Amino acid sequence: MAVPPPTPRARRREAADRTYGMRLLGSAAAAAGAAVLFGLLLLLVESGWPPLHRLDESAATSLHRAAFEHPGWTGTLRFLSDRVWDPVTLRVAVALLTGWLLYRRAWRLAAWSAVTAIGGGLTGLLVKAVVERARPVLSDPVAHAPGFSFPSGHAMTATTSFAVLLLVLLPMVRRSLRGLCWAVAVVSVLGVGFTRIALGVHWFSDVVGGWILGLAVVALTAWSFEAWRADAGLRRTTVAEGLEPELDTDEPEADHVGARSGRTDDGPEA
């Protein structure tokens, strides 16, 4: 039996797939390069800009004093930082999500999830090695952490992990509950940063740097996924919808999904 030739939509999808992997890895590499430049800039600013130094010192001193004087509060911060929002916990959550996406046969979304998480982690390690910023040294410390200080690995991992969880799972959440999901994610990311400063293991600028670099990684890899959707003939999405609104179907990346984009094989529907 002769195999029928691929449809225009199938050819479009195959062409999109060929460029998607290169775009995704290229985006992660671009994020790493931008992060290194950002880290070098911070190093220059830190060495000669008094306002940043005063802000870091003020935040570290005041929050550390409060943590030292309230042991019960400090214990809560350590539980949140070392258990609930620990990078290992969040990475396991993203790994489980990626495995579920593979089970659902959402191959491209699974690749995006994995590359975003791994790319974010490697970017953070690379910048730490380049900047080599020392952690705060405080009298009567309430917590300790190994390694260099900038950027905050906790803050960066929380940013990338909660972004991945949100952008993947939003299509599975009722619209009335999506605002709550965003609120939980934002409070968690901000809370991670607060705990790291209050525990005296990071400067304020470390946390801000982690947030910014995490958002940069997510933005670049998400652009790659959106570019694939455009090349494949699927409709554009908004952040409120998640990266792949079709995830709530039985076959989220099957060829017939293209029909939901409002296009036909020959172009837009009339």
Side-chain angles (χ1 to χ4, degrees):
M1 176 185 290
V3 177
T7 65
R9 180 180 296 123
R11 290 196 296 270
R12 184 189 302 130
R13 183 68 64 89
E14 291 173 1
D17 288 347
R18 284 195 292 270
T19 58
Y20 175 54
M22 292 184 291
R23 278 201 186 111
L24 192 58
L25 294 177
S27 295
V36 170
L37 294 176
F38 181 80
L40 291 173
L41 177 61
L42 176 78
L43 189 61
L44 294 174
V45 171
E46 182 196 13
S47 63
W49 197 38
L52 178 62
H53 179 73
R54 288 196 296 268
L55 179 60
D56 279 338
E57 288 285 350
S58 175
T61 302
S62 59
L63 290 177
H64 173 261
R65 184 184 304 113
F68 181 75
E69 294 174 353
H70 301 86
W73 183 54
T74 303
T76 300
L77 294 180
R78 295 185 67 168
F79 174 76
L80 291 172
S81 180
D82 299 340
R83 296 290 184 269
V84 179
W85 293 326
D86 183 71
V88 174
T89 302
L90 297 178
R91 287 168 186 154
V92 168
V94 172
L96 291 174
L97 175 68
T98 303
W100 177 75
L101 290 172
L102 292 173
Y103 172 77
R104 290 292 312 279
R105 303 176 68 84
W107 314 115
R108 301 160 190 87
L109 198 56
W112 175 81
S113 171
V115 169
T116 301
I118 295 172
L122 293 178
T123 297
L125 292 174
L126 177 62
V127 178
K128 280 180 183 286
V130 170
V131 177
E132 295 186 345
R133 190 185 197 187
R135 293 181 183 271
V137 178
L138 304 168
S139 59
D140 302 314
V142 298
H144 299 276
F148 296 118
S149 189
F150 180 87
S152 165
H154 278 67
M156 189 168 181
T157 301
T159 303
T160 55
S161 298
F162 278 103
V164 167
L165 293 170
L166 267 178
L167 293 177
V168 169
L169 294 177
L170 277 179
M172 314 293 292
V173 178
R174 289 167 47 189
R175 289 185 180 275
S176 60
L177 296 177
R178 290 180 183 179
L180 177 61
C181 293
W182 276 102
V184 169
V186 171
V187 169
S188 296
V189 171
L190 294 177
V192 168
F194 179 81
T195 63
R196 303 308 284 170
I197 302 170
L199 292 173
V201 293
H202 276 294
W203 302 107
F204 173 78
S205 53
D206 297 336
V207 169
V208 174
W211 289 336
I212 293 174
L213 296 180
L215 286 173
V217 172
V218 172
L220 286 168
T221 58
W223 168 83
S224 297
F225 192 86
E226 280 296 311
W228 167 76
R229 286 183 62 88
D231 290 346
L234 299 173
R235 69 177 178 84
R236 297 182 63 85
T237 61
T238 65
V239 173
E241 296 178 284
L243 283 183
E244 192 164 86
E246 299 85 3
L247 188 62
D248 62 350
T249 65
D250 292 335
E251 296 181 82
E253 294 184 4
D255 285 342
H256 72 269
V257 169
R260 297 177 58 142
S261 67
R263 299 172 63 126
T264 66
D265 291 344
D266 299 319
E269 289 182 348

